[in-house]
Amino acid sequence: MTDLERRIAEGVSELRARFAEQMKATPSLADPAPQGDGPKNRHGMPKEPPSQNVLEKDEWPVLDLGQTPEIATDRFRLVLDGAVENPVTLRWEDLLALPQADEQADFHCVTGWSIIDLAFRGVRFETLAALARPTAAATHVMTYGSDGYSTNLPLWEALKPDVLLVHTVEGKPLSTQHGGPARIVVPQLWAWKGAKWVNRIEFLGHDRRGYWEIRGYSNTAHPWRDDRMW
Ligand SMILES: Nc1nc2c(c(=O)[nH]1)N[C@H]1C(S)=C(S)[C@@H](COP(=O)(O)O)O[C@H]1N2
Ligand SMILES: [Mo]
C-alpha cells in the first residue's frame, strides 16, 4: 500500500463511522421493501422504482440544460473545496492515480425511464472525500457541472459506496453527451443528483438546494419512495 492509499483508507473508515447511523436510516438501506415485496435485487429493492419504463443500454437518453461542454482530459480539473481540511484540485492523471472502483448499478431518471445494470468505472465519492477530509461541520455537498448545473447531496447519500465519479461505462470512456470525461452517478437516487462534466465538489456545513432542487424537484430524491417534486 502506498502512503496515499493508506491515508485514503483511513479517511474512508473514519467517514463511514461518522455517517453510519444516518446512512442506515435512509430508504435504500433501511427499508426492506419500500414499495412492496416484488422481485428484489438492489439492496432489497425491486428492480425498478414504481412507474418507470426500463430502456436498453443502447437507448440511454441524453438529458441536460442543452449545452455540451467539450472538456479534453488535459484541461480537466476537479476542485474539492469548502468545509474540508485539505482543499485539492485534481487533474486527470491525479484522478486515475486514485484507487479505481467498478459498480454494476442502475440509472433512474425522474422523467420515467430506468436503465438496469450499467457497468460503471471510476473513483468512489468516499475516496474523494477521504482525500479532501471534510471538517467536523461538513454535512452536505454541492456538485457543479461546467455547463452551470449544480445539485446537492447529504454526505450520508454521497458517501454510499456505489456513488462514483464515473469516467468509463461498459468498458468505454464516458461519452461527452453523458457528461464525459467524468460525471457523478448516484445509483440510489434520481439521476439528476449526478452532475455531468463535474468540475467542483463543494463541502457544506448545511444543506443548500441545487439547480433543479430550487425549481421544485424533490430534495431527497428517493426513487423508491416516489420522491419526485418537493
Ligand atoms: N452538468 C449537468 N449534469 C446533469 C444535468 C445537466 O443538465 N447538467 N442534468 C441532470 C439530469 S436532470 C439528468 S436526468 C441526468 C441525465 O443524464 P444523462 O444525460 O446521461 O442521461 O443528468 C443530470 N446531470
Ligand atoms: Mo432529469
Side-chain angles (χ1 to χ4, degrees), residues 2 19 25 39 43 67 84 98 107 133 150 156 170 191 197 216 221:
T2 65
F19 290 98
H43 300 284
Q67 303 179 27
V84 293
L98 291 170
F107 192 88
R133 299 203 305 273
S150 60
W156 48 94
E170 298 287 321
W197 313 292

Side-chain angles (χ1 to χ4, degrees), residues 4 11 15 35 40 46 113 132-133 139 141 172-173 182 205 212 219-220:
L4 176 66
L15 287 167
Q35 299 288 344
K40 302 181 179 75
W113 50 269
R133 299 203 305 273
T139 55
V141 285
K172 300 196 196 80
W212 282 121
N219 201 35
T220 45

Side-chain angles (χ1 to χ4, degrees), residues 35 46-54 108-114 190 223-226 228:
Q35 299 288 344
K47 219 171 186 175
E48 70 269 4
S51 324
Q52 292 292 102
N53 293 315
V54 174
H108 306 297
C109 178
V110 73
T111 59
W113 50 269
S114 292
W190 290 118
W224 310 103
R225 287 190 175 168
D226 223 9
R228 290 170 189 263

Side-chain angles (χ1 to χ4, degrees), residues 6-27:
R6 189 170 312 110
R7 259 194 298 131
I8 287 171
E10 283 168 10
V12 164
S13 22
E14 189 273 317
L15 287 167
R16 284 184 185 168
R18 206 200 292 182
F19 290 98
E21 285 310 310
Q22 283 158 300
M23 279 200 229
K24 255 188 271 163
T26 59

Side-chain angles (χ1 to χ4, degrees), residues 17 22 25 31 40 49 51 54 60 69 74 83 85 101 104 107 119 135 145 150 169 179 182 188 193-194 202 222 226:
Q22 283 158 300
D31 292 10
K40 302 181 179 75
S51 324
V54 174
W60 187 359
D74 63 358
E85 314 277 357
Q104 185 113 336
F107 192 88
T135 65
S150 60
V169 181
Q188 308 294 329
K193 288 294 184 182
E202 180 190 13
H222 291 299
D226 223 9

Side-chain angles (χ1 to χ4, degrees), residues 59-77:
E59 299 173 324
W60 187 359
V62 171
L63 267 147
D64 53 46
L65 302 177
Q67 303 179 27
T68 309
E70 293 274 350
I71 301 150
T73 52
D74 63 358
R75 282 196 302 117
F76 173 87
R77 298 288 184 281

Side-chain angles (χ1 to χ4, degrees), residues 25-28 110 140 151-154 156-158 160 186-193 207-210 212-214 216-230:
T26 59
S28 62
V110 73
H140 290 75
T151 185
N152 57 313
L153 286 167
W156 48 94
E157 293 291 350
K160 286 180 182 170
V186 188
Q188 308 294 329
L189 301 179
W190 290 118
W192 83 76
K193 288 294 184 182
D207 196 12
R208 204 167 78 211
R209 284 173 179 253
W212 282 121
E213 292 84 5
I214 287 172
Y217 281 34
S218 159
N219 201 35
T220 45
H222 291 299
W224 310 103
R225 287 190 175 168
D226 223 9
D227 294 350
R228 290 170 189 263
M229 302 301 283
W230 303 106

